[in-house]
Amino acid sequence: MTVTAVIGSQWGDEGKGKAVDFLAERADYVARFNGGNNAGHTVINEFGTFKIHLVPSGIFSQNTTGLIGGGVVIDPAVLIEEIEMLNKSGVGVDGRLWVSPRSHLIMPYHKILDGLYEEAKGAGATGTTRRGIGPVFADKVSYNGIRWTDFASDMFEQRLQVQLELKNKIISALGGEALKYESVRAEYRGYYLKLKPYIKELFSLVQDGLKAGKNFLLEQAMGTFLDTDWGTYPFVTASTTIPSAASAGLGIPPKYITNVVGVTKAYTTRVGAGPLPTEIHDYDSEVYKKFGEVAATTGRVRRVGWLDLEIVRTAVQLSGVTELCLTKLDVLSGLDELQVCIGYRLNGVGVRYADVDAYGLDKVETVYQTVPGWGEDIGKARSFDELPVNAQSYVRMIEEAAGVPVKWVGVGPEREATIRR
Ligand code: GDP
Ligand code: IMO
Ligand code: MG
């Protein structure tokens, strides 16, 4: 049995979706345990191209069962749309996708409040996805949340009434339009009826699976440095993103998590506000254009920067990463030389990521090592030996800094564009 957590070692969008898709070939269960539909995971395989927000990215492997743990927050309309889309695409999720009744629901007021809070913060805004993530997790930990269990125990109407009374006062005070009880009630009752066949307590299923030695793949959403505690607060997301979150978010005791795959992009990207020490600001440069990406969830342009080994090293330590999956190495082809950040200095003194807060991280001086690039297109390489020597050295430099092996190297967005070592 293996329980493998797949986590992003940077600020999200490292290519977790692709990694989970190919790792799921050997998984009995693939599970989401944190976040919500702020996640956008890209999967490209024989079924087509998908941007998935809630269903685990390993669902394409036909012998795998997908689990959405209680640690995930759910926008029911998004989940219904995703299930329908996957069924239409021939993936077939019925009978092998289960949603925890403990998961909290994103309500219309969460999305409204997310937007109103962001606007009130002005220049200090986080740059959220505006999916209601911060407000729904705030309600969860302040005992104001609404869960699927509330429908089964007939508490939904009562809880909704109280919440609408409270939330409408805040919304009106901030200049928003109050929500109407009856329309929200009817809308969410409708969602519940549609999703009821997928809602099932996961406790026995997970415990029996562990006992029977099944393989679990745990798919993190977001990245290490968006973690509420260890990320660049307040420029973070509202859930714990490090592997320990899988314990609470799915009900897997920590001792079972034996493997942690750290998905690492060969450069760095970030969406939204907050420090990005290696950010490239020359928007006309060849490298900026090469690294450029569009966010899978919001369509925003991702900020880009050089690879930051202090970030990767910190993520490996924090999450107990046992092996790395390096993605997008192919994107670096064609650059004469590459910059790699090997550490930070502040006021002339070496500092580590954890020594400074988000505002301090914005001020650190990045120490770069210049390494030679390679001209060859590596998209067709399927073994490490086929990579140009300088690309091999780049991979080895990461391994050395991280102290763990790079077991997979991504050379294209498709499932098969992967070197396994
Ligand atoms: P996630 O949120 O971590 O799943 O990552 P996203 O899907 O948001 O962003 C990663 C992007 O990189 C997507 O467009 C993927 O299709 C793409 N991608 C993943 N791995 C590779 C790779 O090795 N090479 C290339 N060129 N693209 C990749
Ligand atoms: P995946 O799983 C990248 C960022 C937002 C914003 C901050 C808070 O695809 O890697 P939120 O809506 O969560 O309150 O926004 O977190 N963010 C992500 N950035 N990838 C993600 O998910 C993200 N999910 C949230 O851009 O800066
Ligand atoms: Mg993403």
Side-chain angles (χ1 to χ4, degrees):
M1 173 188 73
T2 56
V3 178
T4 303
V6 179
I7 63 129
S9 72
Q10 293 148 323
W11 278 280
D13 307 324
E14 296 90 350
K16 299 176 291 293
K18 177 189 157 177
V20 169
D21 175 53
F22 72 71
L23 290 172
E25 282 165 2
R26 284 182 301 165
D28 299 298
Y29 294 103
V30 60
R32 277 279 307 269
F33 58 83
N34 76 318
N37 63 307
N38 44 349
H41 296 182
T42 312
V43 173
I44 305 176
N45 58 26
E46 72 270 23
F47 290 99
T49 297
F50 303 85
K51 305 252 176 227
I52 317 187
H53 306 288
L54 283 167
V55 175
S57 301
I59 199 74
F60 299 90
S61 291
Q62 294 295 302
N63 296 324
T64 299
T65 297
L67 309 176
I68 299 181
V72 179
V73 291
I74 295 183
D75 185 328
V78 174
L79 181 57
I80 290 167
E81 197 184 320
E82 211 157 278
I83 288 172
E84 285 174 354
M85 180 273 292
L86 287 167
N87 277 336
K88 239 187 255 159
S89 308
V91 180
V93 305
D94 293 356
R96 60 186 196 96
L97 174 70
W98 305 112
V99 179
S100 168
R102 296 168 192 275
S103 53
H104 283 244
L105 304 193
I106 297 178
M107 304 299 292
Y109 45 80
H110 293 133
K111 289 183 261 189
I112 296 172
L113 289 173
D114 195 351
L116 289 172
Y117 292 160
E118 282 286 279
E119 275 146 39
K121 288 185 201 165
T126 300
T128 72
T129 59
R130 300 198 177 210
R131 300 297 191 264
I133 304 297
V136 71
F137 277 110
D139 272 356
K140 173 176 176 173
V141 296
S142 60
Y143 334 124
N144 288 294
I146 293 180
R147 310 190 296 170
W148 293 118
T149 54
D150 293 324
F151 290 91
S153 59
D154 271 332
M155 289 302 291
F156 171 65
E157 273 77 7
Q158 190 192 323
R159 293 184 68 79
L160 177 65
Q161 237 157 12
V162 174
Q163 287 308 313
L164 273 182
E165 218 169 282
L166 285 166
K167 299 304 192 305
N168 274 339
K169 280 187 187 139
I170 305 172
I171 291 170
S172 303
L174 292 172
E177 199 177 323
L179 291 158
K180 297 202 168 49
Y181 168 76
E182 188 43 41
S183 75
V184 178
R185 191 201 67 80
E187 184 187 345
Y188 276 70
R189 273 266 163 217
Y191 293 148
Y192 175 60
L193 286 180
K194 277 204 169 145
L195 286 170
K196 211 172 157 188
Y198 303 93
I199 299 169
K200 175 158 100 171
E201 175 52 50
L202 305 181
F203 180 77
S204 298
L205 200 148
V206 168
Q207 292 299 323
D208 292 351
L210 291 171
K211 204 169 162 194
K214 302 282 188 195
N215 291 325
F216 286 79
L217 196 57
L218 316 177
E219 176 180 2
Q220 176 225 47
M222 291 85 245
T224 300
F225 298 94
L226 289 169
D227 180 88
T228 322
D229 290 283
W230 290 99
T232 48
Y233 194 88
F235 308 103
V236 293
T237 191
S239 63
T240 301
T241 65
I242 57 179
S244 57
S247 187
L250 195 64
I252 290 207
K255 68 174 180 184
Y256 286 103
I257 304 174
T258 49
N259 299 50
V260 180
V261 175
V263 185
T264 302
K265 204 178 267 187
Y267 50 100
T268 315
T269 61
R270 173 165 205 163
V271 195
L276 179 56
T278 60
E279 185 160 14
I280 293 163
H281 294 285
D282 182 357
Y283 306 129
D284 294 322
S285 62
E286 185 194 359
V287 55
Y288 181 85
K289 286 176 193 149
K290 250 184 187 306
F291 291 0
E293 293 178 7
V294 170
T297 296
T298 56
R300 289 181 289 178
V301 173
R302 289 176 181 161
R303 296 158 61 198
V304 304
W306 295 107
L307 179 66
D308 186 337
L309 290 179
E310 170 56 14
I311 283 297
V312 177
R313 191 187 292 130
T314 304
V316 167
Q317 289 181 296
L318 198 54
S319 292
V321 169
T322 51
E323 52 224 342
L324 293 173
C325 170
L326 184 68
T327 63
K328 304 200 84 164
L329 190 66
D330 54 301
V331 174
L332 301 185
S333 294
L335 293 170
D336 292 339
E337 49 186 34
L338 307 160
Q339 306 296 327
V340 178
C341 173
I342 53 171
Y344 306 144
R345 293 177 77 78
L346 190 64
N347 305 321
V349 180
V351 287
R352 293 216 52 192
Y353 166 84
D355 294 331
V356 291
D357 68 1
Y359 304 99
L361 194 60
D362 217 18
K363 292 194 189 83
V364 296
E365 180 199 331
T366 40
V367 181
Y368 285 109
Q369 185 172 329
T370 304
V371 298
W374 57 92
E376 299 91 325
D377 179 352
I378 58 170
K380 298 238 161 22
R382 292 296 177 267
S383 74
F384 194 66
D385 299 343
E386 289 173 67
L387 291 176
V389 173
N390 289 345
Q392 292 186 8
S393 303
Y394 193 78
V395 175
R396 291 205 177 98
M397 185 182 184
I398 297 168
E399 286 180 324
E400 225 159 87
V404 290
V406 171
K407 219 164 155 184
W408 301 270
V409 179
V411 290
E414 308 82 14
R415 184 194 276 173
E416 63 276 9
T418 308
I419 294 172
R420 291 153 205 252
R421 288 173 81 201

Short mmCIF file of all heavy atoms in Angstrom, two decimals, residues 268-302:
data_model
loop_
_atom_site.label_atom_id
_atom_site.label_comp_id
_atom_site.label_asym_id
_atom_site.label_seq_id
_atom_site.Cartn_x
_atom_site.Cartn_y
_atom_site.Cartn_z
N THR A 268 9.05 29.92 -12.15
CA THR A 268 8.07 30.20 -11.09
C THR A 268 6.93 31.04 -11.66
O THR A 268 7.17 31.93 -12.48
CB THR A 268 8.74 30.97 -9.92
OG1 THR A 268 9.99 30.36 -9.63
CG2 THR A 268 7.88 30.95 -8.68
N THR A 269 5.71 30.76 -11.20
CA THR A 269 4.59 31.63 -11.56
C THR A 269 3.75 31.91 -10.32
O THR A 269 3.82 31.19 -9.33
CB THR A 269 3.67 31.00 -12.65
OG1 THR A 269 3.11 29.78 -12.15
CG2 THR A 269 4.40 30.76 -13.94
N ARG A 270 2.97 32.96 -10.41
CA ARG A 270 2.07 33.31 -9.32
C ARG A 270 0.89 34.07 -9.92
O ARG A 270 1.08 34.90 -10.81
CB ARG A 270 2.85 34.18 -8.32
CG ARG A 270 1.99 34.75 -7.23
CD ARG A 270 2.74 35.30 -6.03
NE ARG A 270 1.77 35.22 -4.96
CZ ARG A 270 2.00 35.27 -3.67
NH1 ARG A 270 3.22 35.44 -3.24
NH2 ARG A 270 1.04 35.16 -2.79
N VAL A 271 -0.31 33.81 -9.40
CA VAL A 271 -1.49 34.57 -9.83
C VAL A 271 -1.98 35.36 -8.62
O VAL A 271 -2.03 34.83 -7.52
CB VAL A 271 -2.64 33.65 -10.30
CG1 VAL A 271 -3.68 34.45 -11.07
CG2 VAL A 271 -2.12 32.52 -11.17
N GLY A 272 -2.34 36.60 -8.83
CA GLY A 272 -2.81 37.42 -7.70
C GLY A 272 -1.65 38.19 -7.08
O GLY A 272 -0.51 38.13 -7.55
N ALA A 273 -1.94 38.87 -5.96
CA ALA A 273 -0.94 39.74 -5.34
C ALA A 273 -0.02 38.96 -4.41
O ALA A 273 -0.26 37.80 -4.11
CB ALA A 273 -1.67 40.84 -4.56
N GLY A 274 1.05 39.65 -3.96
CA GLY A 274 1.98 39.04 -3.02
C GLY A 274 3.38 38.95 -3.60
O GLY A 274 3.57 39.09 -4.81
N PRO A 275 4.37 38.72 -2.71
CA PRO A 275 5.75 38.73 -3.16
C PRO A 275 6.10 37.58 -4.10
O PRO A 275 5.59 36.47 -3.95
CB PRO A 275 6.54 38.61 -1.85
CG PRO A 275 5.60 37.95 -0.90
CD PRO A 275 4.24 38.42 -1.28
N LEU A 276 6.95 37.86 -5.05
CA LEU A 276 7.50 36.86 -5.97
C LEU A 276 8.94 37.30 -6.23
O LEU A 276 9.21 38.07 -7.16
CB LEU A 276 6.66 36.83 -7.27
CG LEU A 276 7.09 35.88 -8.37
CD1 LEU A 276 7.17 34.44 -7.89
CD2 LEU A 276 6.11 35.96 -9.56
N PRO A 277 9.88 36.86 -5.35
CA PRO A 277 11.23 37.41 -5.37
C PRO A 277 11.94 37.35 -6.72
O PRO A 277 12.72 38.24 -7.03
CB PRO A 277 11.96 36.56 -4.33
CG PRO A 277 10.90 36.07 -3.41
CD PRO A 277 9.69 35.88 -4.27
N THR A 278 11.68 36.33 -7.53
CA THR A 278 12.42 36.21 -8.79
C THR A 278 11.62 36.75 -9.98
O THR A 278 11.90 36.43 -11.13
CB THR A 278 12.78 34.73 -9.08
OG1 THR A 278 11.55 33.99 -9.15
CG2 THR A 278 13.67 34.14 -7.99
N GLU A 279 10.61 37.57 -9.70
CA GLU A 279 9.71 38.04 -10.77
C GLU A 279 10.47 38.75 -11.88
O GLU A 279 11.40 39.53 -11.64
CB GLU A 279 8.64 38.97 -10.18
CG GLU A 279 7.60 39.38 -11.22
CD GLU A 279 6.30 39.89 -10.59
OE1 GLU A 279 6.28 40.18 -9.37
OE2 GLU A 279 5.30 39.99 -11.35
N ILE A 280 10.04 38.49 -13.11
CA ILE A 280 10.61 39.15 -14.29
C ILE A 280 9.65 40.28 -14.69
O ILE A 280 8.47 40.02 -14.95
CB ILE A 280 10.78 38.13 -15.44
CG1 ILE A 280 11.84 37.10 -15.04
CG2 ILE A 280 11.14 38.82 -16.75
CD1 ILE A 280 11.82 35.84 -15.87
N HIS A 281 10.17 41.50 -14.68
CA HIS A 281 9.31 42.65 -14.96
C HIS A 281 9.49 43.20 -16.38
O HIS A 281 8.79 44.11 -16.76
CB HIS A 281 9.59 43.76 -13.95
CG HIS A 281 9.19 43.40 -12.54
ND1 HIS A 281 7.87 43.38 -12.13
CD2 HIS A 281 9.92 43.00 -11.48
CE1 HIS A 281 7.82 43.01 -10.85
NE2 HIS A 281 9.05 42.76 -10.44
N ASP A 282 10.45 42.62 -17.10
CA ASP A 282 10.68 43.11 -18.46
C ASP A 282 9.68 42.42 -19.40
O ASP A 282 9.94 41.33 -19.93
CB ASP A 282 12.13 42.81 -18.88
CG ASP A 282 12.43 43.35 -20.27
OD1 ASP A 282 11.49 43.89 -20.91
OD2 ASP A 282 13.58 43.23 -20.71
N TYR A 283 8.52 43.06 -19.56
CA TYR A 283 7.42 42.42 -20.28
C TYR A 283 7.67 42.24 -21.77
O TYR A 283 6.92 41.57 -22.46
CB TYR A 283 6.11 43.20 -20.03
CG TYR A 283 5.83 43.38 -18.55
CD1 TYR A 283 5.55 44.63 -18.01
CD2 TYR A 283 5.87 42.28 -17.69
CE1 TYR A 283 5.32 44.78 -16.64
CE2 TYR A 283 5.64 42.43 -16.33
CZ TYR A 283 5.37 43.67 -15.81
OH TYR A 283 5.16 43.82 -14.47
N ASP A 284 8.74 42.89 -22.28
CA ASP A 284 9.06 42.73 -23.71
C ASP A 284 10.12 41.65 -23.92
O ASP A 284 10.45 41.33 -25.06
CB ASP A 284 9.59 44.06 -24.28
CG ASP A 284 8.49 45.13 -24.26
OD1 ASP A 284 7.33 44.76 -24.53
OD2 ASP A 284 8.79 46.30 -23.94
N SER A 285 10.67 41.14 -22.84
CA SER A 285 11.77 40.20 -22.99
C SER A 285 11.29 38.85 -23.53
O SER A 285 10.12 38.47 -23.37
CB SER A 285 12.47 39.98 -21.64
OG SER A 285 11.55 39.43 -20.71
N GLU A 286 12.24 38.14 -24.17
CA GLU A 286 11.95 36.82 -24.74
C GLU A 286 11.52 35.86 -23.61
O GLU A 286 10.57 35.09 -23.75
CB GLU A 286 13.24 36.31 -25.40
CG GLU A 286 13.06 35.01 -26.15
CD GLU A 286 14.42 34.37 -26.48
OE1 GLU A 286 15.47 34.95 -26.15
OE2 GLU A 286 14.39 33.27 -27.05
N VAL A 287 12.21 35.97 -22.48
CA VAL A 287 11.94 35.04 -21.39
C VAL A 287 10.55 35.27 -20.80
O VAL A 287 9.81 34.33 -20.49
CB VAL A 287 13.07 35.07 -20.34
CG1 VAL A 287 13.32 36.45 -19.81
CG2 VAL A 287 12.77 34.15 -19.18
N TYR A 288 10.13 36.53 -20.69
CA TYR A 288 8.79 36.83 -20.17
C TYR A 288 7.73 36.20 -21.08
O TYR A 288 6.76 35.59 -20.62
CB TYR A 288 8.57 38.35 -20.05
CG TYR A 288 7.21 38.69 -19.50
CD1 TYR A 288 6.98 38.74 -18.13
CD2 TYR A 288 6.13 38.92 -20.35
CE1 TYR A 288 5.72 39.01 -17.62
CE2 TYR A 288 4.86 39.20 -19.86
CZ TYR A 288 4.67 39.25 -18.49
OH TYR A 288 3.42 39.52 -18.00
N LYS A 289 7.95 36.37 -22.39
CA LYS A 289 6.98 35.81 -23.33
C LYS A 289 6.96 34.28 -23.28
O LYS A 289 5.92 33.65 -23.39
CB LYS A 289 7.29 36.31 -24.74
CG LYS A 289 6.90 37.79 -24.90
CD LYS A 289 7.28 38.34 -26.24
CE LYS A 289 7.15 39.86 -26.21
NZ LYS A 289 8.12 40.51 -27.10
N LYS A 290 8.10 33.70 -23.12
CA LYS A 290 8.21 32.23 -23.04
C LYS A 290 7.48 31.67 -21.82
O LYS A 290 6.76 30.69 -21.89
CB LYS A 290 9.68 31.86 -22.88
CG LYS A 290 10.29 31.20 -24.08
CD LYS A 290 11.72 30.82 -23.72
CE LYS A 290 12.46 30.29 -24.92
NZ LYS A 290 11.81 29.19 -25.61
N PHE A 291 7.69 32.32 -20.68
CA PHE A 291 7.15 31.81 -19.42
C PHE A 291 5.65 32.13 -19.26
O PHE A 291 5.00 31.60 -18.36
CB PHE A 291 7.90 32.43 -18.22
CG PHE A 291 9.32 31.95 -18.06
CD1 PHE A 291 9.89 31.04 -18.94
CD2 PHE A 291 10.10 32.43 -17.02
CE1 PHE A 291 11.20 30.61 -18.80
CE2 PHE A 291 11.42 32.00 -16.85
CZ PHE A 291 11.96 31.09 -17.75
N GLY A 292 5.15 33.03 -20.08
CA GLY A 292 3.78 33.54 -19.94
C GLY A 292 2.73 32.44 -19.91
O GLY A 292 2.79 31.48 -20.66
N GLU A 293 1.74 32.57 -19.03
CA GLU A 293 0.66 31.59 -18.91
C GLU A 293 -0.63 32.32 -18.58
O GLU A 293 -0.60 33.41 -18.03
CB GLU A 293 0.93 30.61 -17.76
CG GLU A 293 2.10 29.70 -17.96
CD GLU A 293 2.34 28.81 -16.75
OE1 GLU A 293 1.52 28.80 -15.82
OE2 GLU A 293 3.36 28.12 -16.76
N VAL A 294 -1.74 31.65 -18.89
CA VAL A 294 -3.05 32.19 -18.53
C VAL A 294 -3.64 31.27 -17.47
O VAL A 294 -3.60 30.05 -17.61
CB VAL A 294 -3.96 32.27 -19.78
CG1 VAL A 294 -5.39 32.59 -19.40
CG2 VAL A 294 -3.43 33.31 -20.75
N ALA A 295 -4.18 31.85 -16.39
CA ALA A 295 -4.71 31.06 -15.27
C ALA A 295 -5.88 30.18 -15.72
O ALA A 295 -6.76 30.61 -16.45
CB ALA A 295 -5.14 31.98 -14.13
N ALA A 296 -5.85 28.90 -15.23
CA ALA A 296 -6.86 27.92 -15.63
C ALA A 296 -8.24 28.23 -15.05
O ALA A 296 -9.25 27.85 -15.62
CB ALA A 296 -6.41 26.53 -15.18
N THR A 297 -8.31 28.94 -13.93
CA THR A 297 -9.61 29.21 -13.30
C THR A 297 -10.17 30.56 -13.70
O THR A 297 -11.33 30.67 -14.10
CB THR A 297 -9.48 29.12 -11.76
OG1 THR A 297 -9.12 27.78 -11.43
CG2 THR A 297 -10.78 29.47 -11.06
N THR A 298 -9.35 31.59 -13.63
CA THR A 298 -9.88 32.95 -13.82
C THR A 298 -9.52 33.56 -15.17
O THR A 298 -10.03 34.62 -15.53
CB THR A 298 -9.33 33.89 -12.73
OG1 THR A 298 -7.90 33.84 -12.76
CG2 THR A 298 -9.83 33.49 -11.35
N GLY A 299 -8.60 32.95 -15.91
CA GLY A 299 -8.18 33.52 -17.18
C GLY A 299 -7.25 34.71 -17.02
O GLY A 299 -6.93 35.40 -17.99
N ARG A 300 -6.81 34.98 -15.77
CA ARG A 300 -5.87 36.08 -15.55
C ARG A 300 -4.49 35.69 -16.07
O ARG A 300 -4.17 34.52 -16.18
CB ARG A 300 -5.76 36.40 -14.05
CG ARG A 300 -7.00 37.04 -13.47
CD ARG A 300 -6.82 37.36 -12.00
NE ARG A 300 -6.80 36.16 -11.18
CZ ARG A 300 -6.61 36.17 -9.86
NH1 ARG A 300 -6.41 37.30 -9.23
NH2 ARG A 300 -6.64 35.04 -9.18
N VAL A 301 -3.65 36.72 -16.34
CA VAL A 301 -2.28 36.43 -16.78
C VAL A 301 -1.46 36.11 -15.54
O VAL A 301 -1.52 36.82 -14.55
CB VAL A 301 -1.70 37.66 -17.52
CG1 VAL A 301 -0.22 37.44 -17.84
CG2 VAL A 301 -2.48 37.92 -18.80
N ARG A 302 -0.71 35.00 -15.59
CA ARG A 302 0.13 34.63 -14.45
C ARG A 302 1.41 35.45 -14.45
O ARG A 302 2.01 35.67 -15.50
CB ARG A 302 0.48 33.13 -14.52
CG ARG A 302 -0.72 32.25 -14.22
CD ARG A 302 -0.40 30.75 -14.40
NE ARG A 302 -1.60 29.96 -14.12
CZ ARG A 302 -1.79 28.71 -14.51
NH1 ARG A 302 -0.85 28.09 -15.19
NH2 ARG A 302 -2.90 28.07 -14.23
#
